[in-house]
Amino acid sequence: MTQDRQPGFIAHLHAFRGVAIVNIVAVHAGSLAVYDFGGGTAGDPALRAIAALNEALFHDSTLYFALISGLLFSAVLKDRGWARFFEGKLKYVLAPYAVMSLVFTLFHWHWSQDFEVFGEGPLAFVQAGARHILLGTAMGQFWYIPVLAVLFALTPLVSALLSRSWGIWAVGALGLAPLLVTRTGAELSVQNAVYFLGAYAGGMALGRDYATVSAGMSRIWPLLALLAGVTSALLVWMVWNGTGLAGPVRLQESVFYLQKAALAGLFLAGLKAIEPRVPRVLDTLAGHAFAIYFLHLFVLYAIGHVARLVIDPPLGPLAAIALMAGLLAGSLAICVAISAGARAVLGKRARMILGS
C-alpha cells in the first residue's frame, strides 16, 4: 500500500494513501468508543447520531486502497513488466500478510479482550494458520488482502481489456457493477471481489492518462463536492433509519460506492492543489500504511483494554467523541512507532514482515 520514491512517484496520490488509512482506523475507533464504551445507541439519540456519522463517513474506505492500487498500476507499475509486478505483490503484500496472519494465529481474540496462547499443538496451528491466510480471518481487517489477491490475479485480464478499443466498455461495466453487486461484509466472497474490482478496474482505466484525469478532477470538484454531500447526507439518513439493508442489492452499499468515488476525486484534487505543502503527517502515515492496516485493530483493542482500567462505561456523547479521537491518534502513533522500529532494526527486510 506504499511505495518508494522511485521514478513515477506521485506525491498527492501517496498522500491520499495517508488519508485512506486514517479513514479505515477511524471507523473502527468510532465503533469501539460508541459500542464498547458508550454502551451502544439504543438509549441515547446523540450516540446514535455519532454512530451514524461514523458509519456514513468512514465505512467502505477500503475502496480507496483498491482505487489507489489500480491507478498506480496503470500510471507507474505497468511499464515495469508483469514479472516485477507480481514479484512485488508477492514479496511486499502477500508475504507480510501471511507473516502477520501467522503472528495473530498465535492468539485467540475474545470479545472479553483476553488473549489466549494457541495451545492445541503444531498441526492445529498450521491448519488454523493456513485457513486464516486463505480466508483473511486472523484479524477482523485481514479479509481485504485475499480479495486484493484476487484483484492482482485479474490485473492482466483488465489490462488486456483496456488495450482494446471495445474493452473500455467492458471495464466501464466492471466499474459500475458494484452499484448492483453488493459486498457481503468482512469476508472473501465473489460479491466482494466484484465490488472491489469495480474500484480497482476504474483506477486502472483512470491511471492510463492520469495527468489528464487529475486535471479534470480539479475542474469538476464542485460537482464532486455536490455528489459527496448528497450521498453522505443520504447515508446518514439510511444508517439512522436502518434502510437499504434488505434484498439482493443493499442500496446502502451502492450509495457508499458512489460516495467513496466522489470523495476520492475530491481528496485527489485537493491534495494535488496543495501538493508542495501536503502535511508531513500524511506522508508519514502513507509510508507506514500497510503496517497500520495490519496492526491497528489489535492496537485499538489493546488501548481499549488499558482504558477500561481508568474509564467507567457507559460514556456520554462528548466523552465518546473524545475517546474516539484518542483511540484514533493513539493507535496511529503506536502503529507508526512499531513500523519505524522494525525498519530501524531490520532495514529493507522489514518490508517482508509489515509491508511498506
Side-chain angles (χ1 to χ4, degrees), residues 116-233:
E116 178 181 293
V117 176
F118 197 93
E120 299 177 17
L123 180 59
F125 172 77
V126 171
Q127 292 173 334
R131 183 174 65 254
H132 287 320
I133 290 171
L134 180 63
L135 300 177
T137 51
M139 284 290 287
Q141 76 277 28
F142 280 24
W143 64 271
Y144 175 65
I145 308 302
V147 173
L148 188 59
V150 173
L151 306 188
F152 292 155
L154 292 174
T155 303
L157 174 60
V158 179
S159 181
L161 289 173
L162 287 171
S163 68
R164 291 163 171 77
S165 58
W166 56 269
I168 189 66
W169 297 102
V171 174
L174 290 176
L176 294 175
L179 298 178
L180 298 175
V181 180
T182 295
R183 62 168 287 185
T184 57
E187 61 182 353
L188 174 63
S189 67
V190 173
Q191 294 96 315
N192 277 353
V194 172
Y195 193 81
F196 286 91
L197 179 61
Y200 184 75
M204 288 178 62
L206 296 175
R208 293 187 307 161
D209 187 4
Y210 183 62
T212 300
V213 169
S214 182
M217 287 189 294
S218 297
R219 288 194 298 270
I220 67 168
W221 71 264
L223 293 177
L224 294 173
L226 177 62
L227 179 58
V230 170
T231 52
S232 296

Side-chain angles (χ1 to χ4, degrees), residues 55 64 74 126 203 254 271 297:
E55 182 80 357
Y64 295 146
S74 293
V126 171
S254 302
L271 290 168
L297 202 56

Side-chain angles (χ1 to χ4, degrees), residues 228-250:
V230 170
T231 52
S232 296
L234 179 58
L235 283 168
V236 171
W237 179 83
M238 295 177 82
V239 174
W240 177 275
N241 292 285
T243 58
L245 298 174
V249 178
R250 291 180 58 184

Side-chain angles (χ1 to χ4, degrees), residues 30 33 35 38 62 73 103 129 139 144 170 206 213 218 222 244 274 314 319-320 327 330 342:
Y35 293 101
T62 323
F73 172 80
V103 168
M139 284 290 287
Y144 175 65
L206 296 175
V213 169
S218 297
I274 62 167
L327 289 169

